[in-house]
Amino acid sequence: MASWDRKREFVALDLGTANVVAYLGGQGIIYNEPSTMAYDVHTNTVIASGESAYEMIGKTNDDIRMVVPLVDGVIADLDAAKDLIKIIFSRIKLSDILKNALVVLACPSGVTELERSALKQVVSDMGAKNVLVEEEVKLSAIGAGINIAIASGHLVVDIGGGTTDIAIISAGDIVISRSIKVAGNHFDEEIRKYIRAEYNVLIGIKTAEKIKIEIGALTKIDNGRTFRAFGRDVISGLPREVVISPDEVKNALLAPFSKITDLIVEVMENTPAELAGDIIRNGITICGGGALIRGIDTYFESIFQLKVTKAQDPLLTVIEGTKEYEKQAEKWLEVVEMRDSREYNIK
């Protein structure tokens, strides 16, 4: 049986489509940067990662290949995902402590068992003996303050960068879940499409993201604030400026959010009756970066007539959830040992 002692370390890694966050017990968050990498095309070596690579988006030449390892909640480039994990661990000098550490890897629900095993193997190859892989939506629920251990249904909507995961959680685990590839990156693309259709101006993906962050809303905003965006005129090919209002951004966001709403309805329709009663009492909890869009709680409340709660820090709910695993590390070490034993016996 595993035993936990003060000499052991706790490491948590949130592998998100948009950002990767690393947490080290006793120190806090030690890495929080975009999930972006730049490769030399000729040597296939990493020349930049994280924030420095993100700043290169849309500004590179043909000798540089930009890669995002996780796209739409699945691993699009497994080798890049492995490189990213290695870079993070080497940058924060974790390789020396991994042997005695409990490592929790948070992955999108769309990641397959094969991909989970591959990521787990990367961390194991770096010296970690105790690796636990968990779904982000489950950790988000814990990080949002929900006591998932009790037999009471909670509806969690985790709007990330690549996917929106919707789950009913009760008695310690996920009862029913659905995932849709409509989330932060998709919102950015819808804003780009809207501006191209309305103004014949093509803007970059980073500009669209800034528009979403600064004036994105699902309800009417009366502060009169606008956003001055620069792009390329599709007809003339020349640089051009356009001024975008919050109402225009709202119009661009309503279509993708209607798809999320439809999926929430589908989850509710497949929820057992007793748990459905719990949802009426507990309401809906929203987390992930998408929860930061203004008026999102009012939007969902008006549709479902339920209480909607936004997580206190939506971007970090996954990492906050892993801290509960740190508190019960001895228990989870035993879980890891049992899982590894089953896998070994199967093999």
Side-chain angles (χ1 to χ4, degrees), residues 192-201 240 242 244 248:
R192 292 184 73 197
K193 288 179 182 177
Y194 176 87
I195 292 174
R196 178 164 184 164
E198 286 292 313
Y199 297 99
N200 283 324
V201 171
R240 185 177 153 200
V242 292
I244 309 299
E248 290 179 291

Side-chain angles (χ1 to χ4, degrees), residues 36-47:
T36 310
M37 305 179 72
Y39 282 81
D40 184 300
V41 171
H42 305 290
T43 63
N44 201 35
T45 55
V46 180
I47 60 175

